[in-house]
Structures are given as C-alpha cells and as structure tokens.
Amino acid sequence: MLLVFLPMLMGLHWPQDLSDYAAQKEMRFFSLTALSGFAPLFLLQEKDAQRVFYWVVGLLGLVMAAGAAIEVVVSGALRRPEIFNTNPILLARASGFAVLLFCLLYWQNRIKTWSFVPAVALAAVGLLVSGSRGPLAALVVAGGIAIPFSFTMSQSRRRILGTVLAGAAGFSLVIFYLVSARPRIGQRLVRIFEGDWGHTDTSRWEIWSKTVEVIAETPMGVGWGRLSDQVLVYNDDVLLRHPHNIFLEIAVEAGWFALAAFLVLVFAAIVGTLRRIRRPAGGGSSTESGDALVTLASLFYWLGCAMFSGDVNDNRPLWAVLGVALAVQANRQTHDASRVRGKSDVRSG
C-alpha cells in the first residue's frame, strides 16, 4: 500500500488557494483516503473483524435504503432521495453493496430465508429509487463473477438459482413499470434500454475521451485536481472536475507510474483473494473460502462503482476493501509460516 501511495505524490503541487477543489482533494486523499487503505492492515487482520466490517457496511446500506423508502412513501413521488444529506449515488452504492453481501451470505447458508428476503428487497428498493446506473452495473458484474464460484462452493444450489430467477423477474417487472408509467426517477434507467443517451452520458463520454488525450501528452500527470485546467466539459452547466473513472483519474493527474502502481495493487488483491478461495488457510474450510468470495465480489463491486462516478476520495470503500484483501494475505502468510515452523519443530522433536 505504501508503494502505491508514494507514486501518487507525483501529483502533488503547491496550491494557491487551500479552499479550492484541487487543494481539498489533495488534503483528503493523503489523509482520510490514505487512512481508508492503511487502517485495514492494522485493524482488520482477523477473520471476525473482517466479517464485522462487511456486516456494518451492509447494514448501513439497509438503513439508507429504509430512509429512501420512507421518503418516497411520505412524499408520494418517485424522485431521487438524498439520505443523510448525501447525494443519491451514495445511496445506490451502499444499497447495491447490501444486495450483493446478503445474497452471498444467503448462498453460503449464513442467514435464513426469512431475514434474507426482506433485507434484499429493501436494499433493491434503495438501489432502484436512487436512479444511479453505475452501481447497478457494478452489481451485475460482481454478481456475475460471484455466482459461478458460489455454485461450486455452496451446498444449496437451489438458493442461488431461485435468487437469480427471482431477481431477473423482479428487475424485468420494474423496467416494464418504468417504461409504461414513465416516472421521473425511472427515466435515467429506461434510457439505457431505449438507446437514448442523455446529457449525463454524452458529457461522460466526452470527458473520458479528452482525458485519454491528456494522458497521452502528460506522462508525469497534470497534478491532483487540475484536470479542469486542461479539459472543459460541462454537465448541466456544472464543470466536471474529474473524469469519473478512477483509472483515468490517477493516470491523468498523478501520471503513468502511479497508475501502474495502482494496477499492480488491484491485480495483487484479486489474485491473492482467488488463491484464498481455492486454497483457504488452515486446511480448506468452506467458511474461509466463503469469506474470500465476499472480498472478491466486494473488490469487483467497488471497482465497478469507481469506473463510472466519483473521484479517488469518493471511492474510499474501494481503498478499504483493497486494504482488507492485503491484510488477509499478510495474515495468511503468517499462518502458513507458523504452520511450517510447527511441522519443523515436530520433526526435530
């Protein structure tokens, strides 16, 4: 993690105004965001602590989804709710993660049907009323990766098939309702299926393409928060200050080497987690493999979210999950080394 954050220093610059976006971005990135990545290495090494971490994030998603459902019922209008004074994207990300987490726990027989159904239904409501498409796409990708692993690991394959079929049917009904009723909240989701790209979509494509051009011209990066000095793209008269893609953002603002370090971190986390799924520490308990699958699905989910919205500081959950993956690997190596020493001591005795 340290070797990843060191190249990020290439994007630092002396700010003229500590209150502007660039300065605030730098201070938050090298304080709170860095803490999100490093803290799990010290606090979440044990399996129980990791499980509590995922449970807390999942329950937070349920609480936000419940708040969104109450707001919709009270107002009587399907509009994008802002829970806890935050934007709808955070609601979508938290509730989408809750859907993913509780599905995985249900498939691993860790929660009962009577608690799973209402929890996932509530979280799905929060995800859909948010009107955000990035977390929905991330959920589909993460679920698509987790289902084959779950199917080979789980003893309750009927649960997996039932969940997938019920989810597909429910989503189809929601889309049918949105197409027929055309509520304002559903227009953003329906446009995807109708091939109608709105201003949000076109501005996103524009800033992505222009960011790629800047990346090719500036290998050392333009500096944190300074993309808008090079690229001017507006969404509803609001200047887009970052490309809404964490890979493009790191490459254009901190440079090619910083992106390479970040890619190595992501690759190491994914490969290490895959190895843990196939060969769990301590002889191969299914619980160990299940924990690893939760981490793997979480990695792909939060990576998917970071591909479509937010800057590096908005994607702190991704840094936290990367830290969890590294902490698990470090703990596994320690466990394996202790086991080897134990066998050696027995042989010498």
Side-chain angles (χ1 to χ4, degrees), residues 103-109 116 146-166:
C103 281
L104 289 171
L105 295 178
Y106 179 64
W107 297 342
Q108 296 174 21
N109 294 317
F116 163 73
I147 286 172
F149 286 103
S150 299
F151 203 79
T152 58
M153 292 164 49
S154 176
Q155 300 299 320
S156 301
R157 295 179 180 177
R158 279 195 234 177
R159 289 190 171 195
I160 301 173
L161 291 174
T163 303
V164 172
L165 293 176

Side-chain angles (χ1 to χ4, degrees), residues 65 73 86 104 106 148 159 178 211 226 254 257 271 283 301 320 333 338:
V73 171
T86 62
L104 289 171
Y106 179 64
R159 289 190 171 195
L178 294 177
T211 299
R226 287 188 169 179
F257 186 64
V271 171
Y301 175 77
Q333 291 171 359
S338 301

